[in-house]
Amino acid sequence: MTRLQRTTTTALATCGAAALALTLVPASAGANEARNVGWNVRADDVPGQRADSAAQPGQDAHEEAQARAEAVRAELAERRAESERVAVVDAADAAAAERQAEEEAEAERRAAEARAAEEEAASRAAERATQVSEPASEPVAEPVAEPVAEPVAEPTATTYPDNLDGWIREALDIMADHGIPGTYDGLYRNIMRESSGNPNAVNDWDINAINGTPSIGLLQVIQPTFDTYHVEGTPYDLYDPVANIVAAANYAWHRYGSIDNVNGPY
């Protein structure tokens, strides 16, 4: 006989004994006593059922404990990720602040040099004015007419293709006129890293963008840096590829000695 058959037989025997007990209640006990007799057969009284019904609460408690533990782990992971994100933002803010302070200091130094040069020029002009001599009393010889030189044809302006190669070559010529160091390879290498050669590239996610001055153009220059290191003779337009290259090379010259010395974010 299987366990299920033994359990069923025992349950039926129990129920049969209860039914037999009901039939033996004397009739003289009265209607009130007969109404008080009733069934009270519970699932726990049936063999094989108590263990199954008692197992469910324990299982629910275990699953609930697992759910709470999982929620705690998820919350800890979220807090850890938030802490790491805040640390990254704080580091970026500190680096941006340091860069801005250095740029401001450099701009102030250049302004001081310009003021000193102006004052020196004014002093020399005043000195020359005080050294003007009285007109000579001797007759002045008539100037001898110099032979008129044949007019020299002006060289034709160099034209550059409207592409990355042409922009770099035009920028190099302007840099040479202003004494700004740099080579084709140094410019090309940094341009490809910063913008992949796209003059309209805009970085809208880093700390500069968060501060309202996104990096723009071939060499990803921010507006304050462009304003400080813009080179005369180029358009005053941060998106202009030649003006962007020359201003960035001018900035790299003052900070790193040359754009060729730049091998990463600057």
Side-chain angles (χ1 to χ4, degrees), residues 3 14-15 17 25 55 73 101 124 136 143 148 170 176 190 197 206 250-251:
R3 181 180 297 176
T14 303
C15 294
V25 177
R73 285 193 293 270
R124 290 180 179 177
V148 178
E170 183 177 357
N190 283 283
D206 68 359
N250 191 21
Y251 166 73

Side-chain angles (χ1 to χ4, degrees), residues 94-228:
E98 181 180 356
R99 178 187 295 183
Q100 184 174 1
E102 291 177 355
E103 292 177 354
E104 292 175 353
E106 179 64 19
E108 180 61 27
R109 184 188 66 79
R110 290 168 59 83
E113 291 178 354
R115 289 194 298 269
E118 292 176 358
E119 292 175 357
E120 183 178 357
S123 176
R124 290 180 179 177
E127 183 178 353
R128 285 194 299 270
T130 59
Q131 294 177 352
V132 176
S133 60
E134 294 293 333
S137 59
E138 297 180 359
V140 179
E142 293 291 333
V144 178
E146 296 180 358
V148 178
E150 292 293 331
V152 178
E154 295 182 0
T156 58
T158 304
T159 58
Y160 305 89
D162 189 20
N163 55 30
L164 182 57
D165 178 74
W167 300 333
I168 293 177
R169 295 187 183 280
E170 183 177 357
L172 285 171
D173 289 345
I174 296 173
M175 289 163 58
D177 293 339
H178 290 82
I180 301 173
T183 64
Y184 187 102
D185 177 72
L187 292 174
Y188 181 85
R189 171 167 43 82
N190 283 283
I191 287 171
M192 296 308 294
R193 185 191 65 252
E194 293 294 332
S195 67
S196 299
N198 179 10
N200 297 315
V202 178
N203 186 321
D204 58 358
W205 57 266
D206 68 359
I207 189 62
N208 290 321
I210 294 174
N211 291 334
T213 56
S215 302
I216 294 173
L218 291 175
L219 283 170
Q220 292 292 280
V221 183
I222 62 175
Q223 189 66 50
T225 300
F226 182 84
D227 294 341
T228 302

